[in-house]
C-alpha cells in the first residue's frame, strides 16, 4: 500500500524530536486517506536502536538505512536513497521537517521526482481527496492554502507546530538497502564543529527569551541570560536583527525573516518593537509575551500577554518569580 512517507531526521546518532512531529503529522494524513505511515531513518551504524519508538507516535513501518557514510548528512546520498525508496514503495505525500537539513533535502527530492514542493507548512488537511497545506507567505502576513494535486506532495513542516502525540502503531522496523556508491556524492561532510555547543539553539528551544535594541547595551543581555537560566536548561536566548547588526549578539541567535524561524511554546520579546521582519520568524509561537515601554509598539498586536514598562525593572522581578516557580 503506498503510504505517507515521513523523514526521521537524526543527529549525533539520535533520532531528533522534530522527527516525532513529522511522524505525528504523517499519521493524521494517513488516517484521513486510509493509508499507512512509512518512516525512514538514515544514519551511521547503531541508529536503528531507537527507531521502533517512532511507532509510538504513529509509524506503521520504520525503514532504517544504516551506513558509515550516513553518519553525517549527505545531500546526494540522502536524496538518492529517499528517491529510490519513494519510487519503489510509492507514497501520497512525503513529509520532512523544515530544519536546515529538511529544507535542503525536501526540494532536492521533489526536483528529482519532478513534483512540486511546499515549504514550512504550519497545517495539513485533506479536502476532496487532495492534501491541502497551509504555509505563511510574505513574511507571515498571510497564510496561503496550497492544494497539492500532484503525487507525491512533498512538504516540509515547521518545527514545534505539529506537536508529537501518542498514537501507537506497529512501528515494525525493517532494514533499508543503502548500498550506494559514495564516490558519486558531490560533497562529503567530514566534520561538524558546533558553535557554542553548551547553548541551546533558538531553533530547538521550547522557551525563548529574545532581546532587542531596547536592552540598551550588550552587557544588559545578562538580564535575559538570567531569565533563561531560571527556566533550567529549556530556554534559549534570541535576538532581533538590530542587536545582531550592532554586534551585540551572534547571528545564530537572530530570529526573523533573515534569521531563524522559531515556534517555541513560550516566546518572550523584550525591548523588541515587533517589525514585520521579526514577526515573520516568531509569530507562530504558542504563547507570546511582550515587554516594552511603548504601549503602541506593534509587538503587542501579536502578543498573548503584554507588559508595558521598563524591562530593567520587570526582568529581575520576573526572573525571581520564575526561579521560585521552578524550585
Ligand atoms: P527597535 O525597532 O529599535 O525597537 C526597540 C524597542 O525597545 C522599542 O519598541 C522600544 O519601545 C523598546 N524599548 C526601549 N527601551 C526599553 C526599555 N527600557 N524597556 C522596555 N522596552 C524598551 N529584524 C529582525 O528582528 N529579524 C530579522 O530577521 C530581520 N530581517 C530583516 C530583513 C530585511 C530585508 C529588513 C529590511 C529588515 C529586517 N529586520 C529584521 C529589521 C527590522 O525591520 C527591525 O529594524 C528590527 O527588528 C528592529 O529591532 P528591535 O525591535 O530590536 O529595535
Amino acid at each position: 500500500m503506498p503510504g505517507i512517507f515521513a523523514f526521521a531526521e537524526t543527529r549525533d546518532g539520535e533520532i531528533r524530536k522534530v522527527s516525532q512531529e513529522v511522524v505525528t503529522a504523517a499519521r493524521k494524513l494517513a488516517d484521513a486517506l486510509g493509508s499507512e505511515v512509512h518512516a525512514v531513518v538514515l544514519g551511521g551504524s547503531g541508529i536503528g536502536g531507537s527507531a521502533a519508538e517512532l511507532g509510538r507516535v504513529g509509524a506503521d513501518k520504520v525503514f532504517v538505512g544504516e551506513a558509515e557514510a550516513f553518519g553525517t548528512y549527505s545531500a546526494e546520498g540522502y536524496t538518492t536513497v529517499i528517491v529510490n525508496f519513494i519510487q519503489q514503495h510509492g507514497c501520497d505525500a512525503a513529509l520532512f521537517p523544515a530544519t536546515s537539513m529538511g529544507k535542503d533535502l525536501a526540494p532536492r527530492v521533489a526536483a528529482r521526482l519532478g513534483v512540486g514542493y511546499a515549504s514550512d507548512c504550519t497545517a495539513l488537511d485533506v479536502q476532496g481527496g487532495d492534501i491541502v497545506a497551509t504555509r505563511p507567505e510574505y513574511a507571515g502576513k498571510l497564510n496561503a492554502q496550497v492544494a497539492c494535486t500532484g503525487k507525491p506532495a512533498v512538504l516540509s513542516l515547521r518545527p514545534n507546530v505539529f506537536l508529537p502525540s501518542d498514537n501507537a502503531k506497529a512501528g515494525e522496523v525493517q532494514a533499508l538497502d543503502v548500498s550506494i556508491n559514495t564516490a558519486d556524492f558531490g560533497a562529503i561532510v567530514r566534520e561538524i564543529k558546533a558553535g557554542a555547543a553548551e547553548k541551546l539553539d533558538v531553533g530547538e528551544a521550547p522557551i525563548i527569551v529574545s532581546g532587542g535594541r531596547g536592552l540598551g547595551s550588550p552587557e544588559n543581555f545578562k538580564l535575559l541570560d538570567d531569565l533563561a537560566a531560571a527556566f533550567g536548561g529549556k530556554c534559549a536566548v534570541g535576538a532581533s536583527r538590530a542587536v545582531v547588526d550592532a554586534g551585540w549578539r551572534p547571528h545564530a541567535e537572530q530570529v526573523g525573516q533573515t534569521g531563524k524561524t522559531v515556534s517555541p511554546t513560550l516566546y518572550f520579546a523584550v525591548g523588541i518593537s515587533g517589525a514585520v521582519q521579526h514577526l515573520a520568524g516568531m509569530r507562530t509561537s504558542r504563547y507570546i509575551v511582550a515587554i516594552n515601554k511603548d504601549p503602541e509598539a506593534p509587538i503587542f498586536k501579536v502578543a498573548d500577554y503584554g507588559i508595558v514598562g521598563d524591562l530593567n525593572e520587570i526582568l529581575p522581578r520576573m526572573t525571581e518569580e520564575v526561579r521560585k516557580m521552578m524550585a
Side-chain angles (χ1 to χ4, degrees):
M1 179 196 292
I4 303 296
F5 169 95
F7 176 67
E9 184 172 323
T10 62
R11 184 191 283 170
D12 299 333
E14 309 261 337
I15 294 174
R16 298 187 63 198
K17 178 187 148 266
V18 73
S19 305
Q20 297 178 6
E21 299 174 17
V22 173
V23 171
T24 296
R27 179 76 259 156
K28 289 195 177 130
L29 279 188
D31 287 345
L33 293 166
S35 145
E36 286 189 342
V37 174
H38 297 162
V40 168
V41 181
L42 301 178
S45 53
I47 196 67
S50 50
E53 282 174 22
L54 293 173
R56 185 177 54 76
V57 285
D60 295 286
K61 290 179 186 154
V62 186
F63 296 84
V64 178
E66 284 186 8
E68 216 45 61
F70 289 148
T72 51
Y73 173 60
S74 151
E76 280 294 317
Y78 278 40
T79 304
T80 302
V81 168
I82 290 169
V83 167
N84 288 348
F85 178 90
I86 291 174
Q87 285 173 335
Q88 202 182 331
H89 293 79
C91 68
D92 291 323
L95 309 188
F96 296 80
T99 52
S100 303
M101 189 193 293
K103 284 193 272 192
D104 186 69
L105 184 56
R108 290 172 186 272
V109 169
R112 287 261 193 105
L113 293 171
V115 295
Y117 165 57
S119 62
D120 207 22
C121 303
T122 52
L124 297 180
D125 195 9
V126 176
Q127 293 172 15
D130 288 336
I131 293 168
V132 177
T134 303
R135 54 186 304 276
E137 290 187 358
Y138 298 108
K141 278 189 187 156
L142 65 85
N143 284 321
Q145 292 210 313
V146 183
C148 308
T149 49
K151 275 192 188 167
V154 179
L155 310 162
S156 66
L157 312 183
R158 183 173 288 195
N160 285 323
V161 173
F162 299 83
L163 297 184
S165 62
D166 285 353
N167 188 344
K169 295 291 169 211
E172 176 197 320
V173 177
Q174 297 185 17
L176 183 64
D177 180 14
V178 287
S179 49
I180 59 169
N181 189 358
T182 51
D184 292 341
F185 293 5
I188 293 176
V189 178
R190 296 219 178 273
E191 187 187 7
I192 294 175
K193 287 190 178 166
E198 74 285 357
K199 283 190 179 175
L200 193 56
D201 188 278
V202 276
E204 317 226 327
I207 306 173
I208 299 173
V209 290
S210 278
R213 195 155 23 207
L215 265 290
S217 69
E219 293 74 33
N220 225 15
F221 268 77
K222 166 128 189 14
L223 293 171
L224 290 186
D225 289 336
D226 289 347
L227 177 57
F231 280 110
K234 291 185 199 156
C235 183
V237 175
S240 72
R241 177 165 160 176
V243 300
V244 171
D245 284 354
W248 296 3
R249 301 300 289 188
H251 183 258
E253 293 180 2
Q254 185 183 318
V255 172
Q257 190 181 321
T258 44
K260 288 187 178 152
T261 302
V262 300
S263 272
T265 310
L266 185 55
Y267 186 88
F268 290 85
V270 183
I272 292 177
S273 57
V276 65
Q277 296 90 353
H278 188 81
L279 302 184
M282 46 62 77
R283 71 188 315 157
T284 52
S285 303
R286 193 144 296 220
Y287 296 103
I288 298 170
V289 179
I291 303 174
N292 200 302
K293 68 179 184 184
D294 173 8
E296 302 299 325
I299 192 72
F300 288 124
K301 293 204 176 96
V302 298
D304 298 284
Y305 300 94
I307 305 172
V308 178
D310 186 344
L311 62 89
N312 296 293
E313 290 167 19
I314 294 163
L315 281 178
R317 287 161 65 184
M318 186 177 266
T319 301
E320 204 42 52
E321 290 306 315
V322 172
R323 278 198 197 115
K324 281 190 213 155
M325 194 181 76
M326 299 296 288

